[in-house]
Amino acid sequence: MSMIVVTVVGARPQFVKAAVVSRALRATATVSEILVHTGQHYDPGMSDVFFSQLGIAPPAYNLEIGSLSHGAQTGRMLERIEGILQETTPDWVVVYGDTNSTLAGALAAAKLHVPVAHVEAGLRSFNRAMPEEVNRVLTDHLSTVLFTPTEAAVNNLGAEGIPRERVTEVGDVMYDAALYYSAQALDMPSPVAPFGVAAGEYVLATVHRAENTDVPARLTTIAGALRRLAAQRPVVVPLHPRTVSALERGGLLEGLKADCVIMEPVSYLAMVRLEKEAAVIVTDSGGVQKEAFFHGVPCVTLRDETEWVELLECGANRLAPPRDEATILDGVRQALEDGSPKVREELYGGGKAAVRIANRLAAGL
Ligand code: UD1
Ligand code: UDP
């Protein structure tokens, strides 16, 4: 039985996740995939580089929606995806994570009675002020099959009354990606060598969450803490374009550039290389928190809570809510003291998540 799957992606982490699932879908030989890129991310360094580097087929449709307010962005995606689903009549729509592209894809499909498969289902921060929390709760409740990355995610869905038979714990596709691409990342030239920064000595930091970029006091605290850390060891920061704008608005960018190694967003392989060779990672990214663990690097999370609770429980990660600089500096000191976390591969599915997803989709409803 052959199947048509429409995959909807649009933001940087979704390209990484889709790369490994698409490869597994191709291996089934019975599934044909139609890739839709919403254009939520569009800078070459936020989009094209992932397609070329990770061998993702060019999207069949690029909606080029771009940056808009939440309602306008999601609404325009919804309308365009609806048209594509009417044209392609797929057996499944696959969506990833918790972005506006995820919700638009799931909602368009559900209204047309096309079964939705949600990869990375069941994550919760229990903080509805986050746009991602709204997107993931709604997407989960629209989905026919919910592929969860962790046991905590399975429990969250149970607590919301989602029938257990719809939920399949497959593990985390980002762990599959980390395993698959690690060797290639180590073959790359070091992205920090040109800055005179050595492997093993630097802090790697990323910041892009709305709750940090759009709240001036939090952004000022983060920038201040990174500058103080830079007095002790190099601090390397590949900056999301959202954060560049926010730092410029707050008059914080020049000071940060004076003390830290500030970079454009880097490719996935360059990022993996940076992660593997960092002494400690400081981030508000969901993906980067886990990648720190996959690559055995201690992590400090610049948030009030995290969806990846198992990493707090096993001591690989710790929260440092960016309310004051001292909390962040203490978090980093603690992380360096605790050192390398032990990779426990059973926590995230052992690298088989994509194959499990592809097999389930190939089996049909
Ligand atoms: C989005 C997701 C977030 C995810 C992140 C991954 C939502 C609500 N948020 O956040 O969950 O963690 O992607 O990176 O879907 N911009 C550019 N060039 C680009 C893309 C963005 O300049 O290629 C700038 C624009 O000023 C834009 C801003 O970044 O307004 C925010 O982009 P947007 O896609 O709305 O949200 P992210 O912060 O990227
Ligand atoms: N990433 C990247 N280049 C960068 C920053 C991040 O390739 O400059 C990768 C990172 O390794 C991970 C994914 O992008 O695989 C995480 O995306 P992001 O932090 O934007 O979003 P989140 O995971 O928080 O939704």
Side-chain angles (χ1 to χ4, degrees):
M1 192 170 51
S2 72
M3 296 273 156
I4 297 176
V5 168
V6 165
T7 298
V8 179
V9 292
R12 173 166 70 185
Q14 294 168 331
F15 308 139
V16 177
K17 295 167 196 175
V20 290
V21 175
S22 291
R23 190 177 308 111
L25 286 174
R26 283 197 295 275
T28 65
T30 55
V31 175
S32 49
E33 186 182 33
I34 298 170
L35 190 64
V36 178
H37 185 338
T38 62
Q40 178 170 348
H41 287 174
Y42 46 85
D43 288 347
M46 294 291 287
S47 175
D48 297 359
V49 68
F50 294 88
F51 283 79
S52 52
Q53 193 176 62
L54 307 183
I56 309 169
Y61 298 86
N62 190 331
L63 310 184
E64 297 181 351
I65 303 289
S67 304
L68 293 162
S69 65
H70 285 280
Q73 189 181 55
T74 313
R76 285 185 200 182
M77 290 175 188
L78 180 63
E79 186 174 5
R80 297 287 305 283
I81 296 168
E82 181 176 65
I84 293 168
L85 299 184
Q86 283 164 331
E87 209 173 287
T88 54
T89 61
D91 299 287
W92 295 102
V93 167
V94 178
V95 294
Y96 292 88
D98 51 21
T99 72
N100 290 346
S101 301
T102 314
L103 176 60
L107 188 51
K111 289 290 185 80
L112 292 172
H113 308 142
V114 179
V116 177
H118 184 201
V119 178
E120 214 179 69
L123 296 178
R124 295 292 180 268
S125 63
F126 303 102
N127 174 2
R128 289 278 175 111
M130 290 176 73
E132 292 86 358
E133 184 77 354
V134 176
N135 289 340
R136 52 170 94 100
V137 169
L138 293 173
T139 300
D140 283 339
H141 284 264
L142 293 168
S143 294
T144 311
V145 173
L146 296 95
F147 293 119
T148 54
T150 59
E151 199 185 323
V154 175
N155 296 336
N156 290 337
L157 294 173
E160 290 177 18
I162 290 184
R164 185 65 184 83
E165 61 272 15
R166 285 202 217 154
V167 179
T168 308
E169 186 179 351
V170 290
D172 186 0
V173 292
M174 285 197 122
Y175 186 42
D176 299 19
L179 294 175
Y180 187 87
Y181 291 109
S182 271
Q184 288 178 50
L186 288 174
D187 277 346
M188 302 262 303
S190 159
V192 287
F195 300 93
V197 174
E201 68 170 7
Y202 58 88
V203 178
L204 174 66
T206 79
V207 181
H208 75 278
R209 284 272 146 237
E211 72 214 42
N212 288 333
T213 60
D214 296 4
V215 179
R218 286 171 78 104
L219 192 63
T220 305
T221 298
I222 291 170
L226 294 179
R227 294 184 68 180
R228 281 174 64 185
L229 283 170
Q232 296 157 24
R233 50 173 76 234
V235 176
V236 176
V237 197
L239 270 184
H240 189 292
R242 171 187 204 119
T243 317
V244 174
S245 310
L247 288 166
E248 271 172 347
R249 274 198 308 277
L252 298 164
L253 187 58
E254 286 315 307
L256 204 61
K257 277 187 173 163
D259 293 338
C260 303
V261 178
I262 302 296
M263 296 177 164
E264 300 269 314
V266 296
S267 70
Y268 177 70
L269 292 181
M271 187 64 183
V272 171
R273 178 72 187 257
L274 285 175
E275 289 168 344
K276 279 183 172 297
E277 295 185 340
V280 58
I281 293 177
V282 177
T283 190
D284 62 8
S285 159
V288 176
Q289 283 173 59
K290 284 173 296 159
E291 287 168 349
F293 172 69
F294 301 152
H295 302 305
V297 178
C299 186
V300 179
T301 293
L302 300 172
R303 288 185 46 196
D304 297 336
E305 71 281 307
T306 178
E307 302 77 17
W308 305 100
V309 288
E310 55 290 325
L311 295 182
L312 299 180
E313 281 156 18
C314 75
N317 191 11
R318 64 278 303 142
L319 295 175
R323 287 186 218 110
D324 52 65
E325 292 178 13
T327 305
I328 300 172
L329 298 177
D330 283 349
V332 171
R333 193 175 316 115
Q334 189 62 55
L336 285 166
E337 244 172 67
D338 292 348
S340 216
K342 285 258 171 319
V343 179
R344 291 173 43 202
E345 58 164 47
E346 78 284 0
L347 281 183
Y348 292 105
K352 301 276 190 308
V355 169
R356 292 182 183 123
I357 290 167
N359 290 341
R360 173 67 190 87
L361 295 175
L365 249 195

